[in-house]
Amino acid sequence: MSDYLLEIGTEEIPARFMPGMLKDLEETAKAKLNAQRISFSGLRTLGTDRRLVLFISNIAEQQGDLKEELKGPPSSVNEQAKLGFCKKNNIDADSLQVRDGYFYGQRHLKGQPVKEIFPALLIDIISSLHLPIAMRWGNEDFKFIRPIHWFLSLWDKEVISFKLAGIESGRFSRGHRFLRAFGRISGDKGVEVASTADYLKTMEENFVFVDQDKRKEKIRHDLKNHPEVRQGEVLIDEDLLSEVTFLNEWPVVLLDLFDEKYLELPKEILITTKKKNQKYFPIINEKGELLTGFLLVANSNHNEKNILDGNKKVLTARLEDARFFFTEDMKTPLNDRVEGLKKIVYQAKIGTLYEKLQRVEKLAEWLAGSFKNIKNEELKQAVWLCKADLASNVVYEFPELQGTMGRIYARKEKLPTAVCEAIFEHYLPRFAGDVLPETEMGTIISVADKVDSICSCFAADLIPSGSQDPYALRRAAAGIINILMAR
């Protein structure tokens, strides 16, 4: 039994594609190995944005023998057709049997040495991967998600040679890209890997954490335990953590600060600006208030001052934009933005957001008949303001803040608390496992909005299919069911 290692070295693959690529590599490799009757005890895929790694443990030296019965042509065919079936499938003609009017033959194939068939199998695995985006480079017809620069291919200590996209496989990988440029890694040929057992250690010596799980947990640990974070808590968003995991090969957590004047902005805007634009992790104090410190994950700590200065410069520009958008939004009351919803098309066959709200108002008034404490004037106000922030500058820049900004603006205008909360809650639940509306008014408008989306889309023949649901109607239906079950 031996171990095998394949590393596909590429230009930077977008972080959002990496989890899917690694999963596909694992599933494709398993399927191809099983189809070739090659046994193994374990299979893992590892990777960074510059490499996809396949590790197969305890792989057999020999294919399994094949014994199977094949159904042939009808027994009424001539001798030539009968012999052709036997020759094609390596079956002894004298062993054929006739059942139900057809010839049946037993095929026996002796397993081959795995090393002999592995080069072709590897090319098949790589060529069969699903590519969310595909590109060609140079004069090659071969396509991949990003240009390939090297193949590392080791069977224990031995190189399994193959050639694809004009590149010969070997025993050389590449270390950290930037640290090589800064002289922390020497040698132009690359990093020589002696064996599959030495791979991870060799790569770490060259400033690459190949194991994404190890890399992720290192980032999580360093975020929580950064020495400069004395009194506070780092807000770790799991989606952001997964993204930065595939943006770095040698992650280093650094602390930087922004100007206190930006704390005048709503916390939600500051957090979203840092997460979406800059991939930063905010810090809050014991009271839940945002601090001026934030943590970033760099791809090394080489020239740390330049990294921090550059990030602060970009963040300051982003925060200035956010402050400008928020200041401009505050000049226009939510009620004055409702007219602008006539210009925002919900769907071409269905109409504008303004027309949607006309339908939601009727649905909400009907649903409210089952509740005793709903004030009709406040309900109507909440319905007509619940989408108003979609016409604001901040939500145009940060769509994920829809509802959140509407509640903030409503509070600034000192609108009734029930109205403020309903503006935010009518979007709930936004995803599987999300919180549900807590107030009666928020519940009513949430159900009314989702029912309208489902019914109007079905009326326009925009019905979800097995792979398409652009208006998230399944999510809306699940949201209604969860709300009804909870209340």
Side-chain angles (χ1 to χ4, degrees), residues 32-104:
K32 299 291 184 181
L33 288 166
N34 290 331
Q36 289 291 331
R37 310 183 309 283
I38 300 173
S39 65
F40 56 94
S41 67
L43 187 150
R44 297 179 65 202
T45 53
L46 310 172
T48 72
D49 58 338
R50 296 184 65 222
R51 65 199 78 224
L52 298 165
V53 179
L54 171 66
F55 186 82
I56 310 170
S57 55
N58 295 321
I59 191 167
E61 304 283 340
Q62 192 89 2
Q63 271 185 305
D65 294 341
L66 175 65
K67 296 180 180 180
E68 63 178 346
E69 184 177 67
L70 297 180
K71 182 180 179 180
S75 57
S76 59
V77 299
N78 58 35
E79 187 71 11
Q80 185 177 0
K82 170 185 167 182
L83 293 176
F85 164 70
C86 294
K87 183 177 180 181
K88 176 183 177 182
N89 295 287
N90 195 25
I91 294 174
D92 183 0
D94 294 335
S95 68
L96 290 179
Q97 298 179 0
V98 177
R99 294 199 308 269
D100 304 323
Y102 286 88
F103 285 115
Y104 287 85

Coordinates of all heavy atoms in Angstrom, one line a residue, residues 32-104:
K32 N -13.7 8.2 -10.2 CA -12.8 7.7 -11.2 C -12.0 6.5 -10.6 O -11.8 5.5 -11.3 CB -11.8 8.8 -11.6 CG -12.5 10.0 -12.3 CD -13.1 9.7 -13.6 CE -13.7 10.9 -14.3 NZ -14.3 10.6 -15.6
L33 N -11.6 6.6 -9.4 CA -10.8 5.5 -8.8 C -11.7 4.2 -8.7 O -11.3 3.1 -9.0 CB -10.3 5.9 -7.4 CG -9.2 6.9 -7.4 CD1 -9.0 7.5 -6.0 CD2 -7.9 6.2 -7.8
N34 N -12.9 4.4 -8.2 CA -13.9 3.3 -8.1 C -14.2 2.7 -9.4 O -14.3 1.5 -9.6 CB -15.1 3.7 -7.4 CG -14.9 4.1 -5.9 OD1 -14.0 3.5 -5.3 ND2 -15.7 5.0 -5.4
A35 N -14.3 3.6 -10.5 CA -14.6 3.0 -11.8 C -13.5 2.2 -12.3 O -13.7 1.3 -13.1 CB -14.9 4.2 -12.7
Q36 N -12.3 2.5 -11.9 CA -11.1 1.8 -12.4 C -10.7 0.7 -11.4 O -9.7 0.0 -11.5 CB -9.9 2.8 -12.5 CG -10.0 3.7 -13.6 CD -9.9 3.0 -15.0 OE1 -9.2 2.0 -15.1 NE2 -10.5 3.6 -16.0
R37 N -11.6 0.4 -10.4 CA -11.4 -0.7 -9.5 C -10.0 -0.6 -8.7 O -9.3 -1.5 -8.6 CB -11.4 -2.1 -10.2 CG -12.6 -2.2 -11.1 CD -12.7 -3.6 -11.8 NE -11.5 -4.0 -12.5 CZ -11.1 -3.5 -13.6 NH1 -11.9 -2.6 -14.3 NH2 -10.0 -4.0 -14.2
I38 N -9.8 0.7 -8.3 CA -8.6 0.9 -7.5 C -9.0 1.2 -6.1 O -9.7 2.2 -5.8 CB -7.8 2.2 -8.1 CG1 -7.4 1.9 -9.5 CG2 -6.6 2.5 -7.2 CD1 -6.8 3.1 -10.2
S39 N -8.5 0.4 -5.2 CA -8.9 0.5 -3.8 C -8.0 1.5 -3.0 O -6.8 1.6 -3.4 CB -8.9 -0.9 -3.1 OG -7.6 -1.4 -3.0
F40 N -8.5 2.1 -2.0 CA -7.8 3.0 -1.2 C -8.5 3.2 0.2 O -9.7 2.9 0.3 CB -7.7 4.4 -1.9 CG -9.0 5.0 -2.2 CD1 -9.6 5.9 -1.4 CD2 -9.6 4.7 -3.4 CE1 -10.9 6.5 -1.7 CE2 -10.9 5.2 -3.7 CZ -11.5 6.1 -2.9
S41 N -7.8 3.6 1.2 CA -8.4 3.7 2.5 C -8.9 5.1 2.8 O -9.8 5.3 3.7 CB -7.4 3.3 3.6 OG -6.4 4.2 3.7
G42 N -8.4 6.1 2.2 CA -8.8 7.5 2.5 C -8.4 8.4 1.4 O -7.5 8.2 0.6
L43 N -9.2 9.5 1.3 CA -8.9 10.5 0.3 C -9.3 11.9 0.8 O -10.3 12.1 1.4 CB -9.8 10.2 -1.0 CG -9.5 11.1 -2.2 CD1 -9.8 10.2 -3.5 CD2 -10.4 12.3 -2.3
R44 N -8.4 12.9 0.7 CA -8.6 14.2 1.2 C -8.2 15.2 0.1 O -7.4 15.0 -0.8 CB -7.7 14.5 2.4 CG -7.9 13.7 3.6 CD -6.9 14.2 4.7 NE -7.1 15.5 5.1 CZ -6.2 16.3 5.7 NH1 -5.0 15.8 5.9 NH2 -6.4 17.5 6.1
T45 N -8.9 16.4 0.1 CA -8.5 17.5 -0.8 C -8.2 18.7 0.1 O -8.9 19.0 1.1 CB -9.6 17.9 -1.7 OG1 -10.8 18.1 -1.0 CG2 -9.9 16.8 -2.7
L46 N -7.1 19.3 -0.2 CA -6.6 20.5 0.5 C -6.4 21.6 -0.5 O -6.3 21.4 -1.7 CB -5.2 20.2 1.2 CG -5.2 18.9 2.1 CD1 -3.8 18.6 2.6 CD2 -6.1 19.1 3.3
G47 N -6.2 22.8 0.0 CA -5.9 23.8 -1.0 C -5.8 25.3 -0.5 O -6.3 25.6 0.6
T48 N -5.2 26.1 -1.3 CA -5.1 27.5 -1.1 C -5.6 28.1 -2.4 O -6.0 27.4 -3.3 CB -3.7 28.0 -0.8 OG1 -2.9 27.9 -2.0 CG2 -3.1 27.2 0.3
D49 N -5.6 29.4 -2.5 CA -6.0 30.1 -3.7 C -5.0 29.7 -4.9 O -5.4 29.9 -6.1 CB -6.1 31.6 -3.6 CG -4.8 32.2 -3.1 OD1 -4.0 31.5 -2.6 OD2 -4.7 33.4 -3.3
R50 N -3.8 29.2 -4.6 CA -2.9 28.9 -5.6 C -2.6 27.5 -5.9 O -1.8 27.1 -6.7 CB -1.5 29.6 -5.3 CG -1.6 31.1 -5.3 CD -0.2 31.7 -5.0 NE 0.7 31.4 -6.1 CZ 2.0 31.1 -6.0 NH1 2.5 30.9 -4.8 NH2 2.7 30.9 -7.1
R51 N -3.3 26.6 -5.2 CA -3.1 25.2 -5.4 C -4.3 24.3 -4.9 O -5.0 24.7 -3.9 CB -1.9 24.8 -4.6 CG -1.9 24.9 -3.1 CD -0.6 24.9 -2.5 NE 0.1 26.2 -2.6 CZ 1.3 26.4 -3.0 NH1 2.1 25.4 -3.2 NH2 1.8 27.6 -3.1
L52 N -4.6 23.3 -5.7 CA -5.6 22.3 -5.4 C -4.8 21.0 -5.2 O -4.0 20.6 -6.0 CB -6.6 22.1 -6.5 CG -7.4 23.3 -6.9 CD1 -8.1 23.1 -8.3 CD2 -8.5 23.6 -5.9
V53 N -5.0 20.4 -4.0 CA -4.2 19.2 -3.6 C -5.2 18.0 -3.4 O -6.2 18.1 -2.7 CB -3.4 19.5 -2.3 CG1 -2.6 18.3 -1.9 CG2 -2.5 20.7 -2.6
L54 N -4.8 16.9 -4.0 CA -5.4 15.6 -3.8 C -4.5 14.6 -3.1 O -3.4 14.4 -3.6 CB -5.9 15.0 -5.1 CG -6.5 13.6 -5.2 CD1 -7.8 13.6 -4.4 CD2 -6.6 13.1 -6.6
F55 N -4.9 14.1 -1.9 CA -4.1 13.1 -1.2 C -4.9 11.8 -1.1 O -5.9 11.8 -0.5 CB -3.7 13.7 0.1 CG -2.7 12.8 0.9 CD1 -1.4 12.8 0.6 CD2 -3.2 11.9 1.8 CE1 -0.5 12.0 1.3 CE2 -2.3 11.1 2.5 CZ -0.9 11.1 2.2
I56 N -4.3 10.7 -1.6 CA -4.9 9.4 -1.5 C -4.1 8.5 -0.6 O -2.9 8.4 -0.9 CB -5.1 8.8 -2.9 CG1 -5.8 9.8 -3.8 CG2 -6.0 7.5 -2.8 CD1 -5.8 9.4 -5.3
S57 N -4.6 8.0 0.4 CA -3.8 7.2 1.3 C -4.1 5.7 1.1 O -5.2 5.3 0.8 CB -4.1 7.5 2.8 OG -5.5 7.5 3.1
N58 N -3.1 4.9 1.3 CA -3.1 3.4 1.2 C -3.8 3.0 -0.1 O -4.8 2.2 -0.1 CB -3.9 2.8 2.4 CG -3.2 3.0 3.7 OD1 -1.9 2.9 3.8 ND2 -3.9 3.3 4.8
I59 N -3.2 3.4 -1.2 CA -3.8 3.1 -2.5 C -3.2 1.8 -2.9 O -2.0 1.5 -2.7 CB -3.5 4.3 -3.5 CG1 -4.2 4.1 -4.8 CG2 -2.0 4.4 -3.7 CD1 -4.2 5.3 -5.6
A60 N -4.0 1.0 -3.6 CA -3.5 -0.4 -4.0 C -2.5 -0.3 -5.1 O -2.5 0.6 -5.9 CB -4.7 -1.2 -4.4
E61 N -1.6 -1.3 -5.1 CA -0.6 -1.4 -6.2 C -1.2 -1.9 -7.5 O -0.7 -1.7 -8.6 CB 0.5 -2.2 -5.7 CG 1.2 -1.8 -4.4 CD 2.1 -0.6 -4.6 OE1 2.5 -0.4 -5.8 OE2 2.4 0.1 -3.6
Q62 N -2.3 -2.7 -7.3 CA -2.9 -3.4 -8.5 C -4.4 -3.2 -8.5 O -5.1 -3.1 -7.5 CB -2.7 -4.9 -8.3 CG -3.0 -5.8 -9.5 CD -1.8 -5.9 -10.4 OE1 -0.7 -5.4 -10.1 NE2 -1.9 -6.6 -11.5
Q63 N -4.9 -3.0 -9.8 CA -6.3 -2.9 -10.0 C -7.0 -4.2 -9.5 O -6.4 -5.3 -9.6 CB -6.6 -2.8 -11.4 CG -6.7 -1.4 -12.0 CD -7.1 -1.5 -13.5 OE1 -6.5 -2.2 -14.3 NE2 -8.2 -0.7 -13.8
G64 N -8.2 -4.1 -9.1 CA -9.0 -5.3 -8.8 C -9.4 -6.0 -10.1 O -9.6 -5.3 -11.2
D65 N -9.5 -7.3 -10.1 CA -9.9 -8.1 -11.3 C -11.4 -7.8 -11.6 O -12.2 -7.5 -10.7 CB -9.7 -9.6 -11.1 CG -8.2 -9.9 -11.0 OD1 -7.4 -9.1 -11.4 OD2 -8.0 -11.1 -10.5
L66 N -11.7 -7.8 -12.9 CA -13.1 -7.5 -13.3 C -13.8 -8.8 -13.7 O -13.2 -9.5 -14.6 CB -13.1 -6.5 -14.4 CG -14.5 -6.2 -15.0 CD1 -15.4 -5.6 -14.0 CD2 -14.4 -5.3 -16.3
K67 N -14.9 -9.1 -13.1 CA -15.7 -10.2 -13.5 C -17.1 -9.7 -13.7 O -17.7 -9.3 -12.7 CB -15.6 -11.4 -12.5 CG -14.2 -12.0 -12.4 CD -14.3 -13.1 -11.4 CE -12.9 -13.7 -11.2 NZ -12.9 -14.9 -10.2
E68 N -17.6 -9.8 -14.9 CA -19.0 -9.3 -15.1 C -19.7 -10.0 -16.3 O -19.0 -10.5 -17.2 CB -19.0 -7.8 -15.4 CG -18.3 -7.4 -16.6 CD -18.3 -5.9 -16.9 OE1 -19.2 -5.2 -16.2 OE2 -17.6 -5.4 -17.7
E69 N -21.0 -10.1 -16.2 CA -21.7 -10.7 -17.3 C -22.3 -9.6 -18.2 O -22.9 -8.6 -17.7 CB -22.9 -11.5 -16.8 CG -23.7 -12.2 -17.8 CD -24.8 -13.1 -17.3 OE1 -25.8 -12.5 -16.7 OE2 -24.7 -14.3 -17.4
L70 N -22.1 -9.7 -19.5 CA -22.6 -8.7 -20.5 C -23.7 -9.3 -21.3 O -23.6 -10.5 -21.8 CB -21.4 -8.3 -21.4 CG -20.2 -7.6 -20.7 CD1 -19.2 -7.2 -21.8 CD2 -20.7 -6.3 -20.0
K71 N -24.7 -8.5 -21.6 CA -25.8 -8.9 -22.5 C -25.4 -8.5 -23.9 O -25.0 -7.4 -24.2 CB -27.1 -8.2 -22.1 CG -28.3 -8.6 -22.9 CD -29.5 -7.8 -22.4 CE -30.7 -8.2 -23.3 NZ -31.9 -7.4 -22.8
G72 N -25.5 -9.5 -24.8 CA -25.1 -9.3 -26.2 C -26.2 -9.1 -27.1 O -27.3 -8.8 -26.7
P73 N -26.0 -9.4 -28.4 CA -27.1 -9.2 -29.4 C -28.1 -10.4 -29.3 O -27.9 -11.4 -28.6 CB -26.3 -9.3 -30.7 CG -25.1 -10.1 -30.4 CD -24.7 -9.8 -29.0
P74 N -29.2 -10.2 -30.0 CA -30.2 -11.3 -30.0 C -29.6 -12.6 -30.6 O -28.6 -12.6 -31.4 CB -31.3 -10.8 -31.0 CG -31.1 -9.3 -30.9 CD -29.6 -9.0 -30.7
S75 N -30.0 -13.7 -30.1 CA -29.5 -15.0 -30.6 C -29.8 -15.3 -32.0 O -29.2 -16.2 -32.6 CB -30.1 -16.1 -29.7 OG -31.5 -16.1 -29.8
S76 N -30.6 -14.5 -32.7 CA -30.9 -14.7 -34.1 C -29.9 -14.1 -35.0 O -30.0 -14.2 -36.2 CB -32.3 -14.2 -34.4 OG -32.4 -12.8 -34.1
V77 N -28.9 -13.3 -34.5 CA -28.0 -12.6 -35.4 C -27.0 -13.6 -36.0 O -26.9 -14.8 -35.6 CB -27.1 -11.6 -34.6 CG1 -28.0 -10.5 -34.0 CG2 -26.3 -12.2 -33.5
N78 N -26.4 -13.2 -37.1 CA -25.5 -14.1 -37.8 C -24.2 -14.2 -37.0 O -23.9 -13.6 -36.0 CB -25.2 -13.5 -39.2 CG -24.6 -12.1 -39.2 OD1 -23.8 -11.8 -38.3 ND2 -24.9 -11.3 -40.2
E79 N -23.3 -15.2 -37.5 CA -22.1 -15.5 -36.8 C -21.1 -14.4 -36.7 O -20.5 -14.2 -35.7 CB -21.5 -16.7 -37.6 CG -20.3 -17.3 -36.8 CD -20.7 -18.1 -35.6 OE1 -21.9 -18.3 -35.4 OE2 -19.8 -18.4 -34.8
Q80 N -21.1 -13.5 -37.8 CA -20.2 -12.4 -37.8 C -20.5 -11.4 -36.6 O -19.6 -10.9 -35.9 CB -20.2 -11.7 -39.1 CG -19.2 -10.6 -39.3 CD -19.2 -9.9 -40.6 OE1 -20.0 -10.3 -41.5 NE2 -18.4 -9.0 -40.9
A81 N -21.8 -11.1 -36.4 CA -22.2 -10.2 -35.4 C -21.9 -10.8 -34.0 O -21.5 -10.1 -33.1 CB -23.7 -9.9 -35.5
K82 N -22.1 -12.1 -33.9 CA -21.8 -12.8 -32.6 C -20.3 -12.7 -32.3 O -20.0 -12.4 -31.1 CB -22.3 -14.2 -32.7 CG -21.9 -15.1 -31.6 CD -22.3 -16.5 -31.9 CE -21.6 -17.5 -31.0 NZ -22.0 -18.9 -31.3
L83 N -19.5 -13.0 -33.3 CA -18.0 -12.9 -33.0 C -17.5 -11.5 -32.8 O -16.6 -11.3 -32.0 CB -17.3 -13.5 -34.2 CG -17.5 -15.0 -34.4 CD1 -16.8 -15.5 -35.7 CD2 -17.0 -15.8 -33.2
G84 N -18.2 -10.5 -33.4 CA -17.8 -9.1 -33.2 C -18.1 -8.7 -31.7 O -17.3 -8.0 -31.1
F85 N -19.2 -9.1 -31.2 CA -19.5 -8.9 -29.8 C -18.4 -9.5 -28.9 O -18.0 -8.8 -27.9 CB -20.9 -9.4 -29.4 CG -21.2 -9.5 -28.0 CD1 -21.3 -8.4 -27.2 CD2 -21.3 -10.8 -27.4 CE1 -21.6 -8.5 -25.8 CE2 -21.5 -10.9 -26.0 CZ -21.7 -9.7 -25.2
C86 N -18.0 -10.7 -29.2 CA -17.0 -11.4 -28.3 C -15.7 -10.7 -28.4 O -15.0 -10.5 -27.4 CB -16.9 -12.8 -28.8 SG -18.4 -13.8 -28.5
K87 N -15.3 -10.3 -29.6 CA -14.0 -9.7 -29.8 C -13.9 -8.3 -29.1 O -12.9 -8.0 -28.5 CB -13.7 -9.5 -31.3 CG -12.3 -9.0 -31.6 CD -12.1 -8.9 -33.1 CE -10.7 -8.3 -33.4 NZ -10.4 -8.2 -34.8
K88 N -15.0 -7.6 -29.2 CA -15.0 -6.2 -28.6 C -14.9 -6.3 -27.1 O -14.3 -5.4 -26.5 CB -16.4 -5.5 -29.0 CG -16.5 -4.2 -28.4 CD -17.9 -3.6 -28.8 CE -18.1 -2.3 -28.1 NZ -19.5 -1.7 -28.4
N89 N -15.5 -7.3 -26.5 CA -15.5 -7.4 -25.0 C -14.6 -8.4 -24.4 O -14.7 -8.7 -23.3 CB -17.0 -7.6 -24.6 CG -17.9 -6.5 -24.9 OD1 -17.9 -5.5 -24.3 ND2 -18.8 -6.7 -25.9
N90 N -13.7 -9.0 -25.3 CA -12.8 -10.0 -24.8 C -13.4 -11.2 -24.2 O -13.1 -11.6 -23.0 CB -11.8 -9.3 -23.9 CG -10.5 -10.2 -23.6 OD1 -10.1 -11.0 -24.5 ND2 -9.9 -10.0 -22.5
I91 N -14.4 -11.8 -24.9 CA -15.2 -12.9 -24.4 C -14.9 -14.1 -25.3 O -14.9 -14.0 -26.5 CB -16.7 -12.5 -24.3 CG1 -17.0 -11.4 -23.3 CG2 -17.5 -13.8 -24.0 CD1 -18.4 -10.9 -23.3
D92 N -14.8 -15.3 -24.7 CA -14.6 -16.5 -25.4 C -16.0 -16.9 -26.0 O -17.0 -17.0 -25.3 CB -14.1 -17.6 -24.4 CG -13.9 -18.9 -25.2 OD1 -14.1 -19.0 -26.4 OD2 -13.5 -19.9 -24.5
A93 N -16.0 -17.0 -27.3 CA -17.3 -17.3 -28.0 C -17.9 -18.6 -27.5 O -19.1 -18.7 -27.5 CB -17.1 -17.3 -29.5
D94 N -17.1 -19.6 -27.2 CA -17.6 -20.9 -26.7 C -18.3 -20.8 -25.4 O -19.1 -21.7 -25.0 CB -16.5 -21.9 -26.6 CG -15.9 -22.2 -28.0 OD1 -16.7 -22.0 -29.0 OD2 -14.7 -22.6 -28.1
S95 N -18.1 -19.7 -24.6 CA -18.7 -19.6 -23.3 C -20.0 -18.8 -23.3 O -20.7 -18.7 -22.3 CB -17.7 -18.8 -22.4 OG -17.6 -17.5 -22.8
L96 N -20.5 -18.4 -24.5 CA -21.7 -17.7 -24.6 C -22.9 -18.6 -24.2 O -23.0 -19.8 -24.5 CB -22.0 -17.1 -26.0 CG -21.0 -16.0 -26.5 CD1 -21.4 -15.6 -27.9 CD2 -21.2 -14.8 -25.6
Q97 N -23.9 -17.9 -23.5 CA -25.1 -18.6 -23.2 C -26.3 -17.8 -23.8 O -26.2 -16.6 -24.0 CB -25.3 -18.7 -21.7 CG -24.2 -19.5 -21.0 CD -24.4 -19.5 -19.5 OE1 -25.3 -18.9 -18.9 NE2 -23.5 -20.2 -18.8
V98 N -27.4 -18.5 -24.0 CA -28.6 -17.9 -24.6 C -29.7 -17.9 -23.5 O -30.0 -19.0 -23.0 CB -29.0 -18.6 -25.9 CG1 -30.3 -18.0 -26.4 CG2 -28.0 -18.6 -26.9
R99 N -30.2 -16.7 -23.2 CA -31.3 -16.6 -22.3 C -32.3 -15.5 -22.8 O -31.8 -14.5 -23.2 CB -30.9 -16.2 -20.9 CG -30.0 -17.3 -20.2 CD -30.0 -17.0 -18.6 NE -29.6 -15.7 -18.3 CZ -28.3 -15.3 -18.1 NH1 -27.4 -16.2 -18.2 NH2 -28.1 -14.1 -17.7
D100 N -33.5 -15.8 -22.8 CA -34.6 -14.9 -23.2 C -34.3 -14.3 -24.6 O -34.6 -13.2 -24.9 CB -34.6 -13.7 -22.2 CG -34.9 -14.2 -20.8 OD1 -35.6 -15.1 -20.6 OD2 -34.3 -13.6 -19.9
G101 N -33.7 -15.2 -25.5 CA -33.5 -14.8 -26.8 C -32.3 -13.9 -27.1 O -32.1 -13.3 -28.1
Y102 N -31.3 -13.8 -26.1 CA -30.1 -13.0 -26.2 C -28.9 -13.8 -25.8 O -29.0 -14.7 -25.0 CB -30.2 -11.7 -25.3 CG -31.2 -10.7 -25.9 CD1 -32.5 -10.7 -25.5 CD2 -30.7 -9.7 -26.7 CE1 -33.4 -9.7 -26.0 CE2 -31.6 -8.7 -27.2 CZ -32.9 -8.7 -26.9 OH -33.8 -7.8 -27.4
F103 N -27.8 -13.4 -26.4 CA -26.5 -14.0 -25.9 C -26.0 -13.3 -24.7 O -26.2 -12.1 -24.5 CB -25.4 -13.8 -27.0 CG -25.6 -14.7 -28.2 CD1 -25.9 -14.2 -29.5 CD2 -25.4 -16.1 -28.0 CE1 -26.0 -15.1 -30.5 CE2 -25.5 -16.9 -29.1 CZ -25.9 -16.4 -30.4
Y104 N -25.4 -14.1 -23.7 CA -24.8 -13.5 -22.5 C -23.4 -14.1 -22.4 O -23.2 -15.3 -22.7 CB -25.6 -13.9 -21.3 CG -26.9 -13.1 -21.1 CD1 -28.1 -13.5 -21.8 CD2 -27.0 -11.9 -20.4 CE1 -29.3 -12.8 -21.7 CE2 -28.2 -11.2 -20.2 CZ -29.3 -11.7 -20.9 OH -30.5 -11.0 -20.8

